[in-house]
Amino acid sequence: MPFKLALAQMPVIGGRVEENLRCASQSIAQAAAAGAAIVLLPEALDCGWCHSSALAAAGSIPDGNACLRLREAAKSHHIHVCAGLIERADDQLFNSAVLISPEGEVLLHHRKLNELAMAHHLYACGDCLAVAHTPLGTLGLMICADGFAPGQSISRALGMMGAQIILSPCAWAVPPDHDNVKEPYGQLWLDHYGVVAKEFGLWIAGASNVGLVSEGEWSGHKCIGCSLVMAPDGKPALSGPYGVDADGLLLVDIELSAQPLRGDGSCTAQVRELA
């Protein structure tokens, strides 16, 4: 069944949790008004990637403040919401993502597996993958650098599990002096998304925020959007604009094949069904 996918290339300000959640809620409302069935939001949209505010502000999944806010927005606007959040679980923090149903239920909960070394002081790493069968198709979930794990192992595993579309909240950043004319951003993602999309006949969508990274080893780097949707032929179906101020809502039409080329979603211990 064809549907519209929205990618919210929204600003994320480190430590400004309330402001970021308001922006996310507005993006969800705009996506629903535009007729989208799914809206994909960036990585760590509540606290910001590698921002120390998570030590105090991160909440649980599915019932922490940030997750509840997104669940309420999904239910209010009757739309699937996929978003990256910083999660507190006991004494650990995780760089996590959720897929929420139009009824406000968490269908998938993913903890980033391939976290960059510079973030290990803040985030623990996840240890599992899952897909969800929905009326729209079989959806998989990963986060940013999961997409370039060695051998594309994470996205390939999701393909083997029957994913027809992989959703990836991201925070794509460049150094302060990056010149996009001399070195156009995005080849890394074109290469890693393209080979898996073509091999498995699936879609891969990565939505990145815009704005400055204000803490951590990459403090001063710029998140520059360039959100990307790769079609099953391994070619881009959508490429978002580049820039620290290049916020906006991007829309693309998705049509899933009746069956993925490989995998049947039969990893039942890791698959969640939507009634």
Side-chain angles (χ1 to χ4, degrees), residues 14-246:
R16 302 278 191 88
V17 176
E18 183 60 32
E19 188 173 342
N20 294 335
L21 289 173
R22 281 200 302 268
C23 185
S25 295
Q26 291 167 1
S27 296
I28 292 167
Q30 292 168 358
I38 304 175
V39 56
L40 174 60
L41 297 104
E43 177 181 12
L45 70 79
D46 49 350
C47 299
W49 185 67
C50 273
H51 200 278
S52 61
S53 61
L55 294 168
S60 64
I61 291 175
D63 296 323
N65 174 60
C67 194
L68 282 174
R69 293 274 291 276
L70 297 182
R71 291 173 60 191
E72 290 166 1
K75 185 175 181 179
S76 176
H77 298 287
H78 201 68
I79 186 173
H80 287 85
V81 173
C82 182
L85 298 171
I86 303 305
E87 174 194 2
R88 180 180 302 282
D90 298 322
D91 60 347
Q92 291 184 305
L93 296 180
F94 292 92
N95 186 350
S96 295
V98 291
L99 175 66
I100 303 168
S101 76
E103 293 73 39
E105 299 300 319
V106 174
L107 303 177
L108 288 175
H109 172 197
H110 174 66
R111 292 170 171 170
K112 191 174 182 180
L113 295 164
N114 189 40
E115 186 61 79
L116 299 186
M118 71 183 73
H120 288 176
H121 72 286
L122 195 57
Y123 310 130
C125 291
D127 60 6
C128 65
L129 287 171
V131 299
H133 297 304
T134 79
L136 298 175
T138 302
L139 309 181
L141 185 55
M142 65 182 183
I143 302 171
C144 202
D146 284 343
F148 61 74
Q152 302 92 33
S153 54
I154 294 171
S155 52
R156 287 177 184 278
L158 291 169
M160 290 298 295
M161 294 169 71
Q164 294 168 286
I165 178 169
I166 298 173
L167 302 171
S168 185
C170 298
W172 294 340
V174 297
D177 60 352
H178 180 253
D179 186 331
N180 200 51
V181 175
K182 293 181 179 178
E183 298 180 62
Y185 183 81
Q187 193 61 49
L188 173 73
W189 307 107
L190 292 170
D191 291 344
H192 286 278
Y193 283 10
V195 66
V196 176
K198 186 173 183 179
E199 178 178 344
F200 287 89
L202 54 79
W203 297 79
I204 305 179
S208 176
N209 65 296
V210 299
L212 294 176
V213 179
S214 58
E215 286 191 4
E217 189 173 325
W218 277 8
S219 180
H221 278 48
K222 302 176 292 185
C223 289
I224 39 67
C226 289
S227 300
L228 176 67
V229 178
M230 196 67 74
D233 61 2
K235 298 178 181 179
L238 178 150
S239 297
Y242 170 100
V244 69
D245 298 317

